[in-house]
Amino acid sequence: QEKNLRRYFGRYLNQKGLVGKSTLRSLKAHFIPYAPDKNNRLASHNVLAVGDAAGLVDPITGEGIYYGLQSGQMAANIIRGHLKNHLPLKHYERQSRSKLISELDCARKMSYLLYHMTGLSYRIIRRHAHTIGNNHLKIISGEKSYRQLYREVFSLAGMLSLITPRSPNPNI
């Protein structure tokens, strides 16, 4: 596989006019961690982990730019407070856990249903594809959060709508 990566990466460098300007020592693919648990520290007395380094990646889509930007902005604000008023950098940990990680936690729980209970998720997707698509677009556009969707899906009414057969006539 590394040979294929080298070939594709070499082709990319050539297209960008970057061949010969640097030396490639190693080329390996790595998984991006997601959904940090309670044992992962996001802040210490002089370090803040943001974005992919903090595991702030959407477990359903694998997207991380949004969470990288959000955590970077949070970190910048915390650093500003630290430099101006000597506020501890640990505030970043608390803030990112309450705003970002709690959101990603709901997505992680839903991803378990999607990726580990494939038979059930297949039936749900077939039955509710339009609604799922609309909700996904709302999440991407920021109109809805994973937390809101999680509450809707796992409420009694939400669970009943998942298991209740739909009428073949959409007007009923």
Side-chain angles (χ1 to χ4, degrees):
Q1 268 191 353
E2 187 173 331
K3 290 179 183 177
N4 285 342
L5 282 175
R6 278 188 183 279
R7 189 174 73 233
Y8 292 129
F9 191 61
R11 208 179 296 156
Y12 172 78
L13 291 175
N14 190 36
Q15 288 174 345
K16 299 295 180 184
L18 300 172
V19 173
K21 298 186 181 192
S22 61
T23 303
L24 180 62
R25 294 185 192 152
S26 173
L27 181 64
K28 294 180 182 175
H30 295 279
F31 288 106
I32 296 173
Y34 72 92
D37 62 26
K38 292 178 181 170
N39 297 326
N40 292 4
R41 290 180 36 200
L42 303 177
S44 69
H45 69 283
N46 62 351
V47 174
L48 301 178
V50 300
D52 294 353
L56 300 175
V57 177
D58 186 321
I60 293 176
T61 65
E63 191 276 324
I65 294 172
Y66 172 81
Y67 298 102
L69 291 171
Q70 291 296 312
S71 62
Q73 184 64 51
M74 256 187 242
N77 291 334
I78 295 294
I79 291 168
R80 185 180 308 113
H82 178 72
L83 294 174
K84 284 184 177 181
N85 304 317
H86 304 288
L87 297 174
L89 292 177
K90 282 284 192 188
H91 286 304
Y92 171 74
E93 178 111 22
R94 191 176 319 116
Q95 196 175 81
S96 58
R97 287 201 183 277
S98 71
K99 292 184 179 173
L100 299 176
I101 295 175
S102 63
E103 174 75 5
L104 290 172
D105 238 10
C106 290
R108 184 179 49 76
K109 290 171 186 170
M110 288 189 288
S111 77
Y112 185 84
L113 172 72
L114 187 62
Y115 298 125
H116 292 87
M117 301 174 79
T118 54
L120 177 60
S121 64
Y122 174 76
R123 288 190 300 276
I124 291 170
I125 290 169
R126 281 192 51 118
R127 187 177 293 161
H128 302 282
H130 183 73
T131 303
I132 292 169
N134 283 340
N135 278 317
H136 189 70
L137 287 173
K138 286 178 181 179
I139 287 171
I140 290 170
S141 68
E143 289 178 54
K144 185 179 272 192
S145 70
Y146 277 121
R147 213 174 305 163
Q148 290 169 313
L149 181 60
Y150 182 83
R151 279 191 219 113
E152 288 173 17
V153 169
F154 292 102
S155 69
L156 181 57
M159 294 302 283
L160 285 173
S161 76
L162 291 178
I163 61 172
T164 305
R166 284 190 325 174
S167 167
N169 182 349
N171 296 322
I172 296 179

PDB file of all heavy atoms in Angstrom, residues 84-116:
ATOM      1  N   LYS A  84      -3.749  37.874  29.593  1.00  0.00           N
ATOM      2  CA  LYS A  84      -4.187  39.158  30.157  1.00  0.00           C
ATOM      3  C   LYS A  84      -4.460  39.087  31.652  1.00  0.00           C
ATOM      4  O   LYS A  84      -4.095  39.979  32.397  1.00  0.00           O
ATOM      5  CB  LYS A  84      -5.451  39.653  29.444  1.00  0.00           C
ATOM      6  CG  LYS A  84      -5.209  40.233  28.085  1.00  0.00           C
ATOM      7  CD  LYS A  84      -6.511  40.783  27.522  1.00  0.00           C
ATOM      8  CE  LYS A  84      -6.269  41.434  26.186  1.00  0.00           C
ATOM      9  NZ  LYS A  84      -7.504  41.990  25.637  1.00  0.00           N
ATOM     10  N   ASN A  85      -5.167  38.018  32.080  1.00  0.00           N
ATOM     11  CA  ASN A  85      -5.653  37.956  33.460  1.00  0.00           C
ATOM     12  C   ASN A  85      -5.148  36.745  34.241  1.00  0.00           C
ATOM     13  O   ASN A  85      -5.668  36.451  35.318  1.00  0.00           O
ATOM     14  CB  ASN A  85      -7.187  37.959  33.468  1.00  0.00           C
ATOM     15  CG  ASN A  85      -7.753  39.147  32.740  1.00  0.00           C
ATOM     16  OD1 ASN A  85      -7.270  40.261  32.897  1.00  0.00           O
ATOM     17  ND2 ASN A  85      -8.770  38.914  31.928  1.00  0.00           N
ATOM     18  N   HIS A  86      -4.206  36.013  33.676  1.00  0.00           N
ATOM     19  CA  HIS A  86      -3.627  34.830  34.326  1.00  0.00           C
ATOM     20  C   HIS A  86      -4.661  33.754  34.645  1.00  0.00           C
ATOM     21  O   HIS A  86      -4.535  33.036  35.630  1.00  0.00           O
ATOM     22  CB  HIS A  86      -2.850  35.217  35.594  1.00  0.00           C
ATOM     23  CG  HIS A  86      -1.783  36.219  35.326  1.00  0.00           C
ATOM     24  ND1 HIS A  86      -0.627  35.910  34.659  1.00  0.00           N
ATOM     25  CD2 HIS A  86      -1.721  37.542  35.605  1.00  0.00           C
ATOM     26  CE1 HIS A  86       0.117  36.991  34.543  1.00  0.00           C
ATOM     27  NE2 HIS A  86      -0.529  38.002  35.100  1.00  0.00           N
ATOM     28  N   LEU A  87      -5.722  33.682  33.815  1.00  0.00           N
ATOM     29  CA  LEU A  87      -6.720  32.621  33.993  1.00  0.00           C
ATOM     30  C   LEU A  87      -6.087  31.283  33.604  1.00  0.00           C
ATOM     31  O   LEU A  87      -5.318  31.212  32.653  1.00  0.00           O
ATOM     32  CB  LEU A  87      -7.943  32.884  33.124  1.00  0.00           C
ATOM     33  CG  LEU A  87      -8.738  34.150  33.443  1.00  0.00           C
ATOM     34  CD1 LEU A  87      -9.828  34.357  32.406  1.00  0.00           C
ATOM     35  CD2 LEU A  87      -9.335  34.057  34.836  1.00  0.00           C
ATOM     36  N   PRO A  88      -6.391  30.215  34.321  1.00  0.00           N
ATOM     37  CA  PRO A  88      -5.775  28.917  34.012  1.00  0.00           C
ATOM     38  C   PRO A  88      -6.240  28.368  32.663  1.00  0.00           C
ATOM     39  O   PRO A  88      -7.407  28.516  32.280  1.00  0.00           O
ATOM     40  CB  PRO A  88      -6.228  28.008  35.151  1.00  0.00           C
ATOM     41  CG  PRO A  88      -7.232  28.756  35.934  1.00  0.00           C
ATOM     42  CD  PRO A  88      -7.260  30.172  35.483  1.00  0.00           C
ATOM     43  N   LEU A  89      -5.320  27.720  31.965  1.00  0.00           N
ATOM     44  CA  LEU A  89      -5.652  27.117  30.679  1.00  0.00           C
ATOM     45  C   LEU A  89      -6.629  25.953  30.825  1.00  0.00           C
ATOM     46  O   LEU A  89      -7.263  25.554  29.866  1.00  0.00           O
ATOM     47  CB  LEU A  89      -4.380  26.637  29.977  1.00  0.00           C
ATOM     48  CG  LEU A  89      -3.415  27.727  29.510  1.00  0.00           C
ATOM     49  CD1 LEU A  89      -2.168  27.099  28.906  1.00  0.00           C
ATOM     50  CD2 LEU A  89      -4.070  28.669  28.519  1.00  0.00           C
ATOM     51  N   LYS A  90      -6.779  25.421  32.019  1.00  0.00           N
ATOM     52  CA  LYS A  90      -7.717  24.326  32.282  1.00  0.00           C
ATOM     53  C   LYS A  90      -9.159  24.708  31.941  1.00  0.00           C
ATOM     54  O   LYS A  90      -9.993  23.833  31.727  1.00  0.00           O
ATOM     55  CB  LYS A  90      -7.646  23.887  33.750  1.00  0.00           C
ATOM     56  CG  LYS A  90      -6.461  23.027  34.044  1.00  0.00           C
ATOM     57  CD  LYS A  90      -6.734  21.658  33.493  1.00  0.00           C
ATOM     58  CE  LYS A  90      -5.725  20.660  34.003  1.00  0.00           C
ATOM     59  NZ  LYS A  90      -5.861  19.397  33.340  1.00  0.00           N
ATOM     60  N   HIS A  91      -9.446  26.004  31.871  1.00  0.00           N
ATOM     61  CA  HIS A  91     -10.804  26.432  31.490  1.00  0.00           C
ATOM     62  C   HIS A  91     -11.158  25.917  30.097  1.00  0.00           C
ATOM     63  O   HIS A  91     -12.324  25.686  29.797  1.00  0.00           O
ATOM     64  CB  HIS A  91     -10.934  27.959  31.531  1.00  0.00           C
ATOM     65  CG  HIS A  91     -10.995  28.528  32.912  1.00  0.00           C
ATOM     66  ND1 HIS A  91     -11.929  28.135  33.843  1.00  0.00           N
ATOM     67  CD2 HIS A  91     -10.234  29.473  33.507  1.00  0.00           C
ATOM     68  CE1 HIS A  91     -11.739  28.803  34.959  1.00  0.00           C
ATOM     69  NE2 HIS A  91     -10.712  29.616  34.794  1.00  0.00           N
ATOM     70  N   TYR A  92     -10.141  25.749  29.260  1.00  0.00           N
ATOM     71  CA  TYR A  92     -10.372  25.230  27.908  1.00  0.00           C
ATOM     72  C   TYR A  92     -10.965  23.823  27.979  1.00  0.00           C
ATOM     73  O   TYR A  92     -11.879  23.500  27.228  1.00  0.00           O
ATOM     74  CB  TYR A  92      -9.066  25.217  27.109  1.00  0.00           C
ATOM     75  CG  TYR A  92      -9.172  24.492  25.795  1.00  0.00           C
ATOM     76  CD1 TYR A  92      -9.838  25.068  24.717  1.00  0.00           C
ATOM     77  CD2 TYR A  92      -8.627  23.224  25.620  1.00  0.00           C
ATOM     78  CE1 TYR A  92      -9.949  24.402  23.506  1.00  0.00           C
ATOM     79  CE2 TYR A  92      -8.729  22.554  24.422  1.00  0.00           C
ATOM     80  CZ  TYR A  92      -9.390  23.145  23.372  1.00  0.00           C
ATOM     81  OH  TYR A  92      -9.501  22.492  22.181  1.00  0.00           O
ATOM     82  N   GLU A  93     -10.436  23.001  28.869  1.00  0.00           N
ATOM     83  CA  GLU A  93     -10.932  21.630  29.022  1.00  0.00           C
ATOM     84  C   GLU A  93     -12.419  21.636  29.362  1.00  0.00           C
ATOM     85  O   GLU A  93     -13.218  20.960  28.730  1.00  0.00           O
ATOM     86  CB  GLU A  93     -10.144  20.915  30.121  1.00  0.00           C
ATOM     87  CG  GLU A  93     -10.591  19.515  30.387  1.00  0.00           C
ATOM     88  CD  GLU A  93      -9.568  18.490  29.944  1.00  0.00           C
ATOM     89  OE1 GLU A  93      -8.384  18.835  29.810  1.00  0.00           O
ATOM     90  OE2 GLU A  93      -9.992  17.363  29.716  1.00  0.00           O
ATOM     91  N   ARG A  94     -12.789  22.412  30.344  1.00  0.00           N
ATOM     92  CA  ARG A  94     -14.184  22.472  30.792  1.00  0.00           C
ATOM     93  C   ARG A  94     -15.080  22.998  29.671  1.00  0.00           C
ATOM     94  O   ARG A  94     -16.150  22.446  29.399  1.00  0.00           O
ATOM     95  CB  ARG A  94     -14.289  23.366  32.033  1.00  0.00           C
ATOM     96  CG  ARG A  94     -15.638  23.288  32.719  1.00  0.00           C
ATOM     97  CD  ARG A  94     -15.727  24.107  34.001  1.00  0.00           C
ATOM     98  NE  ARG A  94     -14.539  24.048  34.835  1.00  0.00           N
ATOM     99  CZ  ARG A  94     -13.764  25.111  35.111  1.00  0.00           C
ATOM    100  NH1 ARG A  94     -14.067  26.299  34.651  1.00  0.00           N
ATOM    101  NH2 ARG A  94     -12.696  24.987  35.876  1.00  0.00           N
ATOM    102  N   GLN A  95     -14.637  24.051  29.009  1.00  0.00           N
ATOM    103  CA  GLN A  95     -15.447  24.669  27.960  1.00  0.00           C
ATOM    104  C   GLN A  95     -15.612  23.734  26.757  1.00  0.00           C
ATOM    105  O   GLN A  95     -16.712  23.582  26.232  1.00  0.00           O
ATOM    106  CB  GLN A  95     -14.788  25.985  27.531  1.00  0.00           C
ATOM    107  CG  GLN A  95     -15.691  26.889  26.753  1.00  0.00           C
ATOM    108  CD  GLN A  95     -15.001  28.201  26.479  1.00  0.00           C
ATOM    109  OE1 GLN A  95     -14.201  28.292  25.559  1.00  0.00           O
ATOM    110  NE2 GLN A  95     -15.306  29.211  27.286  1.00  0.00           N
ATOM    111  N   SER A  96     -14.536  23.104  26.335  1.00  0.00           N
ATOM    112  CA  SER A  96     -14.648  22.230  25.166  1.00  0.00           C
ATOM    113  C   SER A  96     -15.457  20.976  25.487  1.00  0.00           C
ATOM    114  O   SER A  96     -16.186  20.475  24.635  1.00  0.00           O
ATOM    115  CB  SER A  96     -13.270  21.861  24.611  1.00  0.00           C
ATOM    116  OG  SER A  96     -12.497  21.227  25.572  1.00  0.00           O
ATOM    117  N   ARG A  97     -15.369  20.491  26.712  1.00  0.00           N
ATOM    118  CA  ARG A  97     -16.183  19.319  27.085  1.00  0.00           C
ATOM    119  C   ARG A  97     -17.670  19.676  27.101  1.00  0.00           C
ATOM    120  O   ARG A  97     -18.502  18.902  26.634  1.00  0.00           O
ATOM    121  CB  ARG A  97     -15.749  18.754  28.433  1.00  0.00           C
ATOM    122  CG  ARG A  97     -14.428  18.024  28.344  1.00  0.00           C
ATOM    123  CD  ARG A  97     -14.185  17.051  29.455  1.00  0.00           C
ATOM    124  NE  ARG A  97     -12.864  16.465  29.323  1.00  0.00           N
ATOM    125  CZ  ARG A  97     -12.570  15.443  28.532  1.00  0.00           C
ATOM    126  NH1 ARG A  97     -13.516  14.889  27.818  1.00  0.00           N
ATOM    127  NH2 ARG A  97     -11.344  14.977  28.457  1.00  0.00           N
ATOM    128  N   SER A  98     -18.014  20.853  27.604  1.00  0.00           N
ATOM    129  CA  SER A  98     -19.435  21.201  27.692  1.00  0.00           C
ATOM    130  C   SER A  98     -20.006  21.600  26.331  1.00  0.00           C
ATOM    131  O   SER A  98     -21.166  21.321  26.053  1.00  0.00           O
ATOM    132  CB  SER A  98     -19.663  22.311  28.709  1.00  0.00           C
ATOM    133  OG  SER A  98     -19.174  23.535  28.238  1.00  0.00           O
ATOM    134  N   LYS A  99     -19.212  22.223  25.468  1.00  0.00           N
ATOM    135  CA  LYS A  99     -19.765  22.708  24.198  1.00  0.00           C
ATOM    136  C   LYS A  99     -19.535  21.762  23.028  1.00  0.00           C
ATOM    137  O   LYS A  99     -20.432  21.569  22.214  1.00  0.00           O
ATOM    138  CB  LYS A  99     -19.168  24.075  23.868  1.00  0.00           C
ATOM    139  CG  LYS A  99     -19.627  25.146  24.815  1.00  0.00           C
ATOM    140  CD  LYS A  99     -19.116  26.496  24.418  1.00  0.00           C
ATOM    141  CE  LYS A  99     -19.627  27.543  25.396  1.00  0.00           C
ATOM    142  NZ  LYS A  99     -19.041  28.838  25.160  1.00  0.00           N
ATOM    143  N   LEU A 100     -18.356  21.186  22.914  1.00  0.00           N
ATOM    144  CA  LEU A 100     -18.044  20.379  21.735  1.00  0.00           C
ATOM    145  C   LEU A 100     -18.153  18.883  21.998  1.00  0.00           C
ATOM    146  O   LEU A 100     -18.776  18.157  21.228  1.00  0.00           O
ATOM    147  CB  LEU A 100     -16.632  20.709  21.232  1.00  0.00           C
ATOM    148  CG  LEU A 100     -16.414  22.152  20.792  1.00  0.00           C
ATOM    149  CD1 LEU A 100     -14.959  22.373  20.408  1.00  0.00           C
ATOM    150  CD2 LEU A 100     -17.327  22.514  19.641  1.00  0.00           C
ATOM    151  N   ILE A 101     -17.552  18.427  23.058  1.00  0.00           N
ATOM    152  CA  ILE A 101     -17.501  16.978  23.291  1.00  0.00           C
ATOM    153  C   ILE A 101     -18.875  16.426  23.643  1.00  0.00           C
ATOM    154  O   ILE A 101     -19.226  15.327  23.218  1.00  0.00           O
ATOM    155  CB  ILE A 101     -16.436  16.625  24.343  1.00  0.00           C
ATOM    156  CG1 ILE A 101     -15.065  16.983  23.760  1.00  0.00           C
ATOM    157  CG2 ILE A 101     -16.497  15.161  24.727  1.00  0.00           C
ATOM    158  CD1 ILE A 101     -13.907  16.819  24.683  1.00  0.00           C
ATOM    159  N   SER A 102     -19.679  17.179  24.363  1.00  0.00           N
ATOM    160  CA  SER A 102     -21.031  16.693  24.659  1.00  0.00           C
ATOM    161  C   SER A 102     -21.832  16.550  23.362  1.00  0.00           C
ATOM    162  O   SER A 102     -22.634  15.625  23.217  1.00  0.00           O
ATOM    163  CB  SER A 102     -21.740  17.613  25.647  1.00  0.00           C
ATOM    164  OG  SER A 102     -21.906  18.891  25.095  1.00  0.00           O
ATOM    165  N   GLU A 103     -21.598  17.439  22.415  1.00  0.00           N
ATOM    166  CA  GLU A 103     -22.253  17.361  21.102  1.00  0.00           C
ATOM    167  C   GLU A 103     -21.781  16.118  20.350  1.00  0.00           C
ATOM    168  O   GLU A 103     -22.572  15.350  19.811  1.00  0.00           O
ATOM    169  CB  GLU A 103     -21.933  18.636  20.309  1.00  0.00           C
ATOM    170  CG  GLU A 103     -22.417  18.656  18.901  1.00  0.00           C
ATOM    171  CD  GLU A 103     -23.900  18.884  18.749  1.00  0.00           C
ATOM    172  OE1 GLU A 103     -24.603  19.120  19.741  1.00  0.00           O
ATOM    173  OE2 GLU A 103     -24.374  18.808  17.611  1.00  0.00           O
ATOM    174  N   LEU A 104     -20.468  15.915  20.324  1.00  0.00           N
ATOM    175  CA  LEU A 104     -19.912  14.761  19.623  1.00  0.00           C
ATOM    176  C   LEU A 104     -20.269  13.450  20.307  1.00  0.00           C
ATOM    177  O   LEU A 104     -20.326  12.403  19.664  1.00  0.00           O
ATOM    178  CB  LEU A 104     -18.394  14.916  19.490  1.00  0.00           C
ATOM    179  CG  LEU A 104     -17.957  16.019  18.527  1.00  0.00           C
ATOM    180  CD1 LEU A 104     -16.456  16.240  18.603  1.00  0.00           C
ATOM    181  CD2 LEU A 104     -18.395  15.706  17.107  1.00  0.00           C
ATOM    182  N   ASP A 105     -20.522  13.497  21.597  1.00  0.00           N
ATOM    183  CA  ASP A 105     -20.958  12.311  22.326  1.00  0.00           C
ATOM    184  C   ASP A 105     -22.307  11.816  21.797  1.00  0.00           C
ATOM    185  O   ASP A 105     -22.510  10.610  21.643  1.00  0.00           O
ATOM    186  CB  ASP A 105     -21.093  12.636  23.815  1.00  0.00           C
ATOM    187  CG  ASP A 105     -20.239  11.747  24.665  1.00  0.00           C
ATOM    188  OD1 ASP A 105     -19.403  11.015  24.111  1.00  0.00           O
ATOM    189  OD2 ASP A 105     -20.423  11.781  25.893  1.00  0.00           O
ATOM    190  N   CYS A 106     -23.200  12.737  21.547  1.00  0.00           N
ATOM    191  CA  CYS A 106     -24.505  12.352  20.977  1.00  0.00           C
ATOM    192  C   CYS A 106     -24.318  11.756  19.586  1.00  0.00           C
ATOM    193  O   CYS A 106     -24.955  10.748  19.247  1.00  0.00           O
ATOM    194  CB  CYS A 106     -25.440  13.563  20.917  1.00  0.00           C
ATOM    195  SG  CYS A 106     -25.989  14.125  22.537  1.00  0.00           S
ATOM    196  N   ALA A 107     -23.441  12.348  18.792  1.00  0.00           N
ATOM    197  CA  ALA A 107     -23.156  11.809  17.456  1.00  0.00           C
ATOM    198  C   ALA A 107     -22.531  10.423  17.564  1.00  0.00           C
ATOM    199  O   ALA A 107     -22.857   9.523  16.781  1.00  0.00           O
ATOM    200  CB  ALA A 107     -22.232  12.758  16.699  1.00  0.00           C
ATOM    201  N   ARG A 108     -21.650  10.222  18.537  1.00  0.00           N
ATOM    202  CA  ARG A 108     -21.004   8.923  18.722  1.00  0.00           C
ATOM    203  C   ARG A 108     -22.043   7.855  19.057  1.00  0.00           C
ATOM    204  O   ARG A 108     -22.004   6.744  18.538  1.00  0.00           O
ATOM    205  CB  ARG A 108     -19.944   8.999  19.820  1.00  0.00           C
ATOM    206  CG  ARG A 108     -19.163   7.701  20.003  1.00  0.00           C
ATOM    207  CD  ARG A 108     -18.113   7.825  21.088  1.00  0.00           C
ATOM    208  NE  ARG A 108     -18.586   8.394  22.331  1.00  0.00           N
ATOM    209  CZ  ARG A 108     -19.321   7.766  23.242  1.00  0.00           C
ATOM    210  NH1 ARG A 108     -19.689   6.521  23.042  1.00  0.00           N
ATOM    211  NH2 ARG A 108     -19.693   8.363  24.356  1.00  0.00           N
ATOM    212  N   LYS A 109     -22.998   8.183  19.915  1.00  0.00           N
ATOM    213  CA  LYS A 109     -24.046   7.219  20.281  1.00  0.00           C
ATOM    214  C   LYS A 109     -24.890   6.855  19.059  1.00  0.00           C
ATOM    215  O   LYS A 109     -25.252   5.697  18.862  1.00  0.00           O
ATOM    216  CB  LYS A 109     -24.925   7.781  21.394  1.00  0.00           C
ATOM    217  CG  LYS A 109     -24.195   7.872  22.719  1.00  0.00           C
ATOM    218  CD  LYS A 109     -25.007   8.636  23.744  1.00  0.00           C
ATOM    219  CE  LYS A 109     -24.207   8.848  25.021  1.00  0.00           C
ATOM    220  NZ  LYS A 109     -24.876   9.778  25.940  1.00  0.00           N
ATOM    221  N   MET A 110     -25.194   7.858  18.233  1.00  0.00           N
ATOM    222  CA  MET A 110     -25.979   7.574  17.031  1.00  0.00           C
ATOM    223  C   MET A 110     -25.141   6.806  16.009  1.00  0.00           C
ATOM    224  O   MET A 110     -25.669   5.970  15.279  1.00  0.00           O
ATOM    225  CB  MET A 110     -26.535   8.866  16.446  1.00  0.00           C
ATOM    226  CG  MET A 110     -27.645   9.434  17.307  1.00  0.00           C
ATOM    227  SD  MET A 110     -28.523  10.817  16.575  1.00  0.00           S
ATOM    228  CE  MET A 110     -27.320  12.102  16.699  1.00  0.00           C
ATOM    229  N   SER A 111     -23.827   7.074  15.951  1.00  0.00           N
ATOM    230  CA  SER A 111     -22.971   6.349  15.012  1.00  0.00           C
ATOM    231  C   SER A 111     -22.891   4.872  15.371  1.00  0.00           C
ATOM    232  O   SER A 111     -22.732   4.027  14.498  1.00  0.00           O
ATOM    233  CB  SER A 111     -21.574   6.974  14.945  1.00  0.00           C
ATOM    234  OG  SER A 111     -20.791   6.624  16.059  1.00  0.00           O
ATOM    235  N   TYR A 112     -23.004   4.569  16.663  1.00  0.00           N
ATOM    236  CA  TYR A 112     -23.002   3.165  17.069  1.00  0.00           C
ATOM    237  C   TYR A 112     -24.185   2.443  16.426  1.00  0.00           C
ATOM    238  O   TYR A 112     -24.038   1.356  15.883  1.00  0.00           O
ATOM    239  CB  TYR A 112     -23.054   3.030  18.590  1.00  0.00           C
ATOM    240  CG  TYR A 112     -22.922   1.593  19.031  1.00  0.00           C
ATOM    241  CD1 TYR A 112     -21.667   1.011  19.168  1.00  0.00           C
ATOM    242  CD2 TYR A 112     -24.049   0.817  19.261  1.00  0.00           C
ATOM    243  CE1 TYR A 112     -21.547  -0.322  19.531  1.00  0.00           C
ATOM    244  CE2 TYR A 112     -23.937  -0.505  19.627  1.00  0.00           C
ATOM    245  CZ  TYR A 112     -22.677  -1.074  19.759  1.00  0.00           C
ATOM    246  OH  TYR A 112     -22.562  -2.389  20.106  1.00  0.00           O
ATOM    247  N   LEU A 113     -25.344   3.055  16.491  1.00  0.00           N
ATOM    248  CA  LEU A 113     -26.535   2.479  15.861  1.00  0.00           C
ATOM    249  C   LEU A 113     -26.305   2.315  14.360  1.00  0.00           C
ATOM    250  O   LEU A 113     -26.593   1.275  13.781  1.00  0.00           O
ATOM    251  CB  LEU A 113     -27.751   3.376  16.127  1.00  0.00           C
ATOM    252  CG  LEU A 113     -29.044   3.031  15.392  1.00  0.00           C
ATOM    253  CD1 LEU A 113     -29.654   1.770  15.962  1.00  0.00           C
ATOM    254  CD2 LEU A 113     -30.024   4.178  15.494  1.00  0.00           C
ATOM    255  N   LEU A 114     -25.739   3.319  13.742  1.00  0.00           N
ATOM    256  CA  LEU A 114     -25.537   3.335  12.296  1.00  0.00           C
ATOM    257  C   LEU A 114     -24.512   2.303  11.839  1.00  0.00           C
ATOM    258  O   LEU A 114     -24.745   1.577  10.875  1.00  0.00           O
ATOM    259  CB  LEU A 114     -25.103   4.735  11.871  1.00  0.00           C
ATOM    260  CG  LEU A 114     -25.000   5.028  10.395  1.00  0.00           C
ATOM    261  CD1 LEU A 114     -26.345   4.880   9.714  1.00  0.00           C
ATOM    262  CD2 LEU A 114     -24.466   6.441  10.189  1.00  0.00           C
ATOM    263  N   TYR A 115     -23.379   2.215  12.527  1.00  0.00           N
ATOM    264  CA  TYR A 115     -22.268   1.395  12.047  1.00  0.00           C
ATOM    265  C   TYR A 115     -22.127   0.032  12.729  1.00  0.00           C
ATOM    266  O   TYR A 115     -21.433  -0.838  12.216  1.00  0.00           O
ATOM    267  CB  TYR A 115     -20.951   2.163  12.188  1.00  0.00           C
ATOM    268  CG  TYR A 115     -20.927   3.422  11.363  1.00  0.00           C
ATOM    269  CD1 TYR A 115     -20.656   4.644  11.940  1.00  0.00           C
ATOM    270  CD2 TYR A 115     -21.197   3.394   9.999  1.00  0.00           C
ATOM    271  CE1 TYR A 115     -20.637   5.815  11.179  1.00  0.00           C
ATOM    272  CE2 TYR A 115     -21.189   4.541   9.238  1.00  0.00           C
ATOM    273  CZ  TYR A 115     -20.902   5.746   9.835  1.00  0.00           C
ATOM    274  OH  TYR A 115     -20.897   6.890   9.083  1.00  0.00           O
ATOM    275  N   HIS A 116     -22.753  -0.171  13.880  1.00  0.00           N
ATOM    276  CA  HIS A 116     -22.619  -1.449  14.574  1.00  0.00           C
ATOM    277  C   HIS A 116     -23.897  -2.270  14.588  1.00  0.00           C
ATOM    278  O   HIS A 116     -23.868  -3.452  14.893  1.00  0.00           O
ATOM    279  CB  HIS A 116     -22.130  -1.229  16.011  1.00  0.00           C
ATOM    280  CG  HIS A 116     -20.732  -0.728  16.061  1.00  0.00           C
ATOM    281  ND1 HIS A 116     -20.426   0.608  15.987  1.00  0.00           N
ATOM    282  CD2 HIS A 116     -19.550  -1.379  16.146  1.00  0.00           C
ATOM    283  CE1 HIS A 116     -19.123   0.755  16.037  1.00  0.00           C
ATOM    284  NE2 HIS A 116     -18.567  -0.427  16.129  1.00  0.00           N
TER     285      HIS A 116
END
